[in-house]
Amino acid sequence: MSQQVKYYGYTGDLVLQDTDLLELNYFSEIKKVCIDESIGLIVNLESPFIYKDFITIKDKVCLGANQRNVDKLHYLSPKLINLSNNHINDFGNDGVQLTLKILLNNNFNSFGVGKRGDIKIIDNTADNLINMAFTLRSSDQSGSLLFATDQVYGPSDLDLELISEVKKNNETKNLVVSVHWGTEDISIPDRETRIIARKIIDAGADLVIGHHPHIVQPLEIYKEKMIFYSVGNFYFPDIKYSFRNKIVEKKTMKHQLIGIVPVFDFSDTVRLVKIYEIRNNDQKQIVRIIKPKKLIKSKVYYSFFPILYKKNESMRLAKYYSQRLVEKITSCFH
């Protein structure tokens, strides 16, 4: 972003697969907000750039975007692109290396992926701001390759000791930790995610930003610091993908059309300036301001977390496996 950045806004998941026909002005409202208010976007890019002949290395839903869709990033002009997620290496090193090459050639700053021992986990974003990015196994329960190895590019698992070390060496800077974690399509973070979030704060983080569930989850205040468990989706289109030699079409669900972009002032401490809600429809994004209290839940609500989570998880799994059963039965007749 060529203009001076005063504030930073963190987006939810951005998927550019099957967006070849998406007009750039679809994002005109958020772009205008960023220009008018000097906001530098920090975008979570969840679809690597690929060529048609690239082959997936995972037996699951895999995401990949045509390189021409880098024009959407140009239009948004993000300050930083986060690549730490469970889809960045769906096409192995080919997809990761092409993505890094395209972003570099287009003068985008990115972080969050690499080979083991050589991952750019830390980005010194500004004089008073450091960003760190991690991915948890909870974001991919298929058992597929997820983390970086000596041979394969990927994200890093959570490293609390590294967070503590970075904070200790940068006591005057604000440390933001972004984490790809949790269970998809459930509005309640599970107990383990909440425990991990607090450990991240205890380790030295000043702010936690969560991605992956594809639904907006609560904002929690712990030790006077904010934990955004999931900021939902920034943009997630209907997609077609190949799974076990079949073309599957996945329609975006209603809650997957919504995300938030919390905006912060890091000039001193971490100050929440405002929260923008993003709603996607067929024509454009609709952007509006929402109050933080809309996302903050009471202690009573959290006391029912185990019950609410179990109920929602049971419903999600029942729906998921019933759909898989129908697909299995249908395939027997073809």
Side-chain angles (χ1 to χ4, degrees):
M1 185 171 291
S2 57
Q3 71 180 80
Q4 184 177 1
V5 173
K6 184 177 180 181
Y7 306 125
Y8 291 87
Y10 290 79
T11 80
D13 297 330
L14 171 60
V15 173
L16 296 178
Q17 179 171 326
D18 297 333
T19 60
D20 297 41
L21 301 179
L22 185 70
E23 297 290 339
L24 295 180
N25 61 10
Y26 183 91
F27 302 104
S28 61
E29 284 196 29
I30 191 65
K31 180 173 182 176
K32 184 177 186 304
V33 167
C34 290
I35 292 174
D36 291 348
E37 303 188 22
S38 301
I39 298 171
L41 287 181
I42 297 177
V43 174
N44 185 58
L45 182 63
E46 199 168 13
S47 51
F49 292 112
I50 62 171
Y51 292 134
K52 283 186 177 180
D53 60 348
F54 281 9
I55 299 173
T56 63
I57 64 170
K58 304 179 184 181
D59 186 24
K60 69 177 190 67
V61 177
C62 292
L63 301 178
N66 189 300
Q67 64 175 328
R68 71 169 64 96
N69 291 303
V70 73
D71 63 347
K72 279 75 178 181
L73 293 178
H74 275 298
Y75 187 82
L76 290 167
S77 299
K79 179 68 175 178
L80 178 64
I81 298 175
N82 182 1
L83 300 175
S84 180
N85 58 68
N86 62 309
H87 286 289
I88 189 61
N89 57 3
D90 281 353
F91 292 82
N93 290 347
D94 289 342
V96 178
Q97 290 176 315
L98 178 61
T99 301
L100 292 173
K101 179 181 178 180
I102 289 173
L103 294 181
L104 181 63
N105 289 345
N106 286 274
N107 298 314
F108 290 119
N109 186 26
S110 66
F111 78 134
V113 69
K115 289 186 178 179
R116 183 161 50 202
D118 191 30
I119 305 174
K120 187 185 176 185
I121 298 170
I122 306 163
D123 182 82
N124 291 284
T125 312
D127 291 340
N128 47 16
L129 174 61
I130 295 176
N131 279 282
M132 299 182 71
F134 300 97
T135 295
L136 269 59
R137 172 47 76 178
S138 61
S139 68
D140 186 349
Q141 300 174 18
S142 70
S144 300
L145 172 74
L146 176 60
F147 302 115
T149 69
D150 293 338
Q151 290 78 37
V152 182
Y153 285 82
S156 170
D157 198 356
L158 182 65
D159 189 334
L160 293 173
E161 291 186 3
L162 181 59
I163 293 173
S164 296
E165 180 184 339
V166 170
K167 185 60 180 180
K168 186 180 296 183
N169 294 331
N170 299 274
E171 293 182 352
T172 61
K173 293 188 177 184
N174 296 297
L175 176 58
V176 180
V177 176
S178 293
V179 193
H180 210 75
W181 59 6
T183 306
E184 292 183 359
D185 305 319
I186 292 181
S187 62
I188 305 166
D190 59 89
R191 181 174 179 272
E192 181 181 0
T193 298
R194 293 187 67 223
I195 291 173
I196 293 172
R198 294 184 174 208
K199 287 182 178 180
I200 293 172
I201 296 294
D202 290 339
D206 298 298
L207 171 66
V208 176
I209 302 288
H211 304 100
H212 173 69
H214 303 305
I215 188 171
V216 176
Q217 292 182 345
L219 158 63
E220 185 175 4
I221 309 297
Y222 172 67
K223 292 186 176 179
E224 300 183 348
K225 296 180 180 180
M226 290 171 282
I227 301 168
F228 286 83
Y229 284 106
S230 172
V231 292
N233 287 339
F234 182 69
Y235 184 76
F236 199 118
D238 297 338
I239 60 173
K240 291 182 180 179
Y241 60 92
S242 177
F243 182 66
R244 297 180 181 177
N245 298 319
K246 291 175 59 179
I247 299 299
V248 180
E249 185 171 351
K250 178 179 174 61
K251 289 286 186 180
T252 308
M253 293 183 280
K254 185 177 180 180
H255 63 262
Q256 295 175 339
L257 297 171
I258 303 171
I260 59 172
V261 180
V263 177
F264 303 93
D265 178 0
F266 295 113
S267 58
D268 187 11
T269 59
V270 177
R271 181 175 70 88
L272 178 63
V273 177
K274 60 186 68 175
I275 299 175
Y276 287 102
E277 181 184 71
I278 305 291
R279 287 182 176 266
N280 294 283
N281 59 38
D282 292 338
Q283 289 77 39
K284 65 176 182 178
Q285 281 186 333
I286 298 172
V287 181
R288 69 186 183 103
I289 297 173
I290 62 171
K291 295 181 178 180
K293 67 179 182 180
K294 183 177 180 180
L295 300 174
I296 297 176
K297 304 300 182 182
S298 66
K299 291 183 179 180
V300 174
Y301 178 88
Y302 283 106
S303 69
F304 283 96
F305 254 45
I307 298 172
L308 291 171
Y309 180 80
K310 185 176 181 180
K311 171 179 174 292
N312 281 269
E313 175 69 355
S314 298
M315 291 174 62
R316 186 188 73 86
L317 291 176
K319 181 179 180 181
Y320 176 83
Y321 284 111
S322 64
Q323 290 175 337
R324 298 292 81 77
L325 180 61
V326 170
E327 290 177 0
K328 187 70 174 178
I329 294 173
T330 303
S331 68
C332 294
F333 294 96
H334 291 280

